[in-house]
Amino acid sequence: MKYKRILLKLSGEALMGERQYGIDPKRLAEYADEIKAIHNKGVEIAIVIGGGNIFRGIAGASNGMDRVQGDYMGMLATVINGMALQGALEDKGMLTRLQTALKIEAIAEPYIKRRAVRHLEKGRIVIFGAGTGNPYFTTDTAAVLRGVEVHADVILKGTRVDGIYDSDPEKNANAVKFESITFDDVIKKGLNVMDSTAFTLSQENALPIVVFDMNKKGNLLKICNGENIGTVVKI
């Protein structure tokens, strides 16, 4: 395997599958199969999931809700998604731990960096919930932060498109895909890979990002095998 330890970032919307909101059990099972394929190869896996399929704090704020209150609601949405993914992974026979930045000890461990690393070393899949535990920070930032803290080799950002384009491929049929691109070029071209806080944190810590289509069967395993899937953002 090209990568020994990865941080997989999934969007909450991805868990909706064909639904308009919520969680699609079929999509969860598909993701669990993809993750199991690399787990069986010995890859150490940490995961951060968004909460947009349930609630977005920034969307609540745009409709008059207090931003801080909304962001905490969004954090709780990520915990719900984390529990759902945890159940799907365990149904496939994998050992998992859910750690949260907010203390919810009845259902999850509090986030402790050393404990998370130990779980990874023991072959357990660690799911990080509740973002960073602070308002005004996205789950993209949480993913990079946790990736840096647990010494991941790469951030794998699973999306519904197969990489980074010079414009939105869902709106522009002539959009051009980048096979690889540097951090500096992403900034110069104004491409939307992650929010600026997450992206800067990744750049400063020399942590590469791979953006790929998580919904295409086998892509996750191919990336960990070293195949050129998606777009690599490199130093």
Side-chain angles (χ1 to χ4, degrees), residues 136-209:
Y136 297 98
F137 290 95
T138 67
T139 49
D140 277 349
T141 299
V144 176
L145 177 62
R146 297 292 180 246
V148 171
E149 288 178 321
V150 303
H151 310 297
D153 298 320
V154 66
I155 302 290
L156 301 183
K157 183 172 181 178
T159 68
R160 61 188 183 190
V161 295
D162 62 344
I164 301 171
Y165 288 75
D166 62 351
S167 60
D168 189 343
E170 295 182 341
K171 297 178 181 178
N172 179 12
N174 297 316
V176 177
K177 178 186 170 185
F178 299 100
E179 298 301 322
S180 66
I181 191 169
T182 65
F183 279 93
D184 288 340
D185 282 342
V186 168
I187 295 169
K188 287 176 185 176
K189 296 177 186 294
L191 303 176
N192 185 23
V193 178
M194 287 181 165
D195 70 84
S196 59
T197 304
F199 195 73
T200 301
L201 185 62
S202 184
Q203 182 182 28
E204 288 177 347
N205 289 277
L207 183 58
I209 302 167

Side-chain angles (χ1 to χ4, degrees), residues 68-114:
V68 173
Q69 191 83 340
D71 279 357
Y72 279 117
M73 291 170 68
M75 290 178 216
L76 295 178
T78 72
V79 177
I80 292 172
N81 284 340
M83 293 175 68
L85 182 60
Q86 182 179 39
L89 294 172
E90 290 182 345
D91 283 346
K92 302 287 184 180
M94 289 166 275
L95 296 176
T96 70
R97 290 293 186 274
L98 175 61
Q99 292 195 345
T100 57
L102 301 175
K103 288 188 178 180
I104 317 176
E105 293 175 354
I107 57 174
E109 297 178 357
Y111 171 68
I112 299 172
K113 182 255 186 186
R114 290 178 182 272

